[in-house]
Amino acid sequence: ICGIISIWSDRMVYESDIEETIIQLLQNKNYEFIDENDSWISDRKLDEFINKDLLLDCLSRINGTNDFEILNEAINTITRLENPSLFERNFAFHKYLIDGITIESKNYVVNPLIRLIDFETPENNVFQVCHQVKFNEGRNNRIPDVIIYINGLPLIVMELKSFSEDATKAMLEDAYDQLGGCSEHDGYRYDIPTLFNYSAFLVISDGVTTKVGTLTSKIDRYNEWKSVSGEKGYDDSCVMQLNILIDGLFEQRRLLDVIKNNIFFIQDKNNKPVKIMSQYHQYFGVNKAYDSILKTIKPEGSGKAGIIWHTQGSGKSFSMVMLAHRLLISPKLNVPTIVLLTDRIDLDDQLYKTF
């Protein structure tokens, strides 16, 4: 793999090169590659985005039930997201993905909760990657470059562009625009909007520079994932950026952790949902802070967990939200009280809106 990456500086990099490398890197992490010979891809209608048979099988295994009536009702819930706003539909699906779907049924004393993903046991899920799959919802045919499926759900779409040494920025912007930018109705989102109901996050790449963002991210909010395990992030001279992204973000347990604990929504000034995803330094910093807190709890510990230092504009408020979330759901802390201290009124307002 390292050899594949290193030769790119000597010649033009084509989208097919990047696709093949991403697929190979993901296969090395136990993602199943599904191609045009896969029965679901070859037999499906072009407006089908979810592998329902696979999802049904996964739901049965994850939830320990063969009651296919309630399992199919859960699938119907996520395929009938009827809000006219794509961002609102994505928000609704995200809540189902993280919290599960409660199904009303007279056959149970307590309405069953159906989980779409087993976040605690990654090997209990099915991770797949495919490329160049054609979709059509009545407008133009669209063929996303790479899609990552978990349990038959298309959670991550990647758009790739050929690398040109003089046009790196333009290539990434082309990929961003093709995915629809931060609009609800442009690019792929106009022609195949249903695919993006299920988007956890998006990836754009020219093979040299690779960035990650969400449906609502502006281009300057797409960021590189620069670290595998929390070490100092790479600089611009690094030639292994794509490898670091896959190793650092797409290891299966870490990917599920990011989706569950490091993606959240806030409301903008028009009360529309804005989807936030942690950057690499926030993810590793929050995890280290959380671990330090657990190790220093009184009376066994000193009660002094430490300090996270941020530069201006690096996402302090969002880091605080993600750390508070981990603390509140931790069974070891029994719903702790969290106190926020600020030294400026504008920070009070900022944190109030964020939390």
Side-chain angles (χ1 to χ4, degrees):
I1 298 300
C2 297
I4 293 175
I5 303 295
S6 64
I7 64 171
W8 284 359
S9 59
D10 299 326
R11 63 173 177 82
M12 180 72 174
V13 178
Y14 297 99
E15 290 179 27
S16 59
D17 296 323
I18 309 170
E19 280 185 22
E20 291 172 5
T21 300
I22 288 174
I23 290 169
Q24 189 172 350
L25 289 170
L26 289 170
Q27 285 182 293
N28 291 344
K29 298 211 168 290
N30 297 318
Y31 287 69
E32 176 191 357
F33 174 54
I34 50 176
D35 59 18
E36 65 275 6
N37 297 316
D38 179 82
S39 60
W40 176 70
I41 291 179
S42 62
D43 297 341
R44 52 177 272 278
K45 297 178 181 178
L46 295 184
D47 62 354
E48 293 180 1
F49 299 90
I50 293 176
N51 185 341
K52 293 182 180 179
D53 289 341
L54 175 58
L55 177 57
L56 185 64
D57 180 66
C58 290
L59 295 187
S60 177
R61 180 177 64 257
I62 291 169
N63 294 282
T65 179
N66 290 320
D67 187 338
F68 293 107
E69 181 178 352
I70 63 169
L71 297 179
N72 278 306
E73 184 59 32
I75 294 175
N76 290 337
T77 299
I78 62 173
T79 56
R80 296 173 182 172
L81 301 170
E82 297 180 348
N83 195 298
S85 165
L86 169 60
F87 295 163
E88 292 285 359
R89 295 195 303 271
N90 186 256
F91 181 32
F93 173 74
H94 180 77
K95 289 191 289 185
Y96 290 139
L97 186 68
I98 304 307
D99 300 330
I101 303 171
T102 299
I103 304 298
E104 295 185 5
S105 174
K106 296 179 180 179
N107 298 326
Y108 296 82
V109 176
V110 178
N111 289 331
L113 178 68
I114 302 302
R115 296 176 297 148
L116 301 177
I117 288 180
D118 188 339
F119 287 103
E120 304 305 318
T121 311
E123 56 270 20
N124 208 22
N125 304 286
V126 177
F127 292 78
Q128 297 174 313
V129 57
C130 61
H131 71 140
Q132 300 297 321
V133 177
K134 183 187 295 185
F135 298 101
N136 188 297
E137 283 194 86
R139 295 190 175 104
N140 296 313
N141 287 337
R142 289 292 193 173
I143 306 175
D145 289 325
V146 175
I147 303 176
I148 290 177
Y149 277 80
I150 302 179
N151 298 343
L153 298 167
L155 297 187
I156 299 152
V157 178
M158 300 184 180
E159 187 61 27
L160 315 173
K161 294 298 176 185
S162 300
F163 173 71
S164 170
E165 187 173 354
D166 297 326
T168 301
K169 183 177 179 182
M171 292 296 97
L172 287 176
E173 288 182 350
D174 287 345
Y176 173 77
D177 291 340
Q178 195 160 344
L179 286 175
C182 59
S183 165
E184 296 192 82
H185 306 294
D186 291 334
Y188 285 0
R189 301 175 199 185
Y190 175 76
D191 291 314
I192 49 172
T194 300
L195 175 63
F196 295 91
N197 288 349
Y198 312 110
S199 171
F201 59 86
L202 303 165
V203 177
I204 56 176
S205 178
D206 61 11
V208 175
T209 301
T210 302
K211 295 187 175 184
V212 180
T214 74
L215 282 181
T216 64
S217 299
K218 295 181 180 179
I219 185 67
D220 60 354
R221 291 298 181 184
Y222 270 68
N223 295 283
E224 297 169 78
W225 193 278
K226 294 186 175 184
S227 179
V228 173
S229 302
E231 69 281 0
K232 182 180 178 180
Y234 60 70
D235 59 27
D236 292 340
S237 65
C238 177
V239 296
M240 307 296 291
Q241 296 181 18
L242 191 55
N243 300 60
I244 291 172
L245 170 78
I246 300 300
D247 289 341
L249 180 55
F250 287 94
E251 187 275 326
Q252 294 180 6
R253 183 174 294 277
R254 173 147 326 139
L255 178 60
L256 295 185
D257 186 35
V258 169
I259 291 173
K260 180 182 179 183
N261 295 308
N262 293 83
I263 295 176
F264 61 96
F265 287 79
I266 60 175
Q267 300 293 318
D268 68 10
K269 61 183 179 181
N270 298 314
N271 291 321
K272 291 187 176 181
V274 177
K275 193 171 192 178
I276 307 297
M277 176 182 176
S278 67
Q279 299 178 52
Y280 78 95
H281 67 274
Q282 293 169 317
Y283 176 79
F284 292 115
V286 165
N287 278 359
K288 289 179 180 179
Y290 174 73
D291 291 341
S292 180
I293 289 169
L294 294 185
K295 292 176 182 177
T296 56
I297 295 174
K298 291 183 175 180
E300 290 81 8
S302 66
K304 298 179 180 180
I307 296 173
I308 300 180
W309 182 83
H310 284 69
T311 57
Q312 185 174 0
S314 60
K316 294 182 290 294
S317 299
F318 293 157
S319 294
M320 294 165 68
V321 168
M322 289 179 277
L323 178 56
H325 167 74
R326 285 190 183 271
L327 296 174
L328 288 170
I329 65 173
S330 172
K332 299 179 180 180
L333 296 176
N334 194 25
V335 191
T337 298
I338 298 173
V339 179
L340 305 178
L341 299 178
T342 68
D343 59 0
R344 298 199 309 273
I345 296 299
D346 61 323
L347 288 178
D348 287 348
D349 295 337
Q350 178 181 328
L351 288 176
Y352 178 79
K353 293 176 182 178
T354 302
F355 274 80

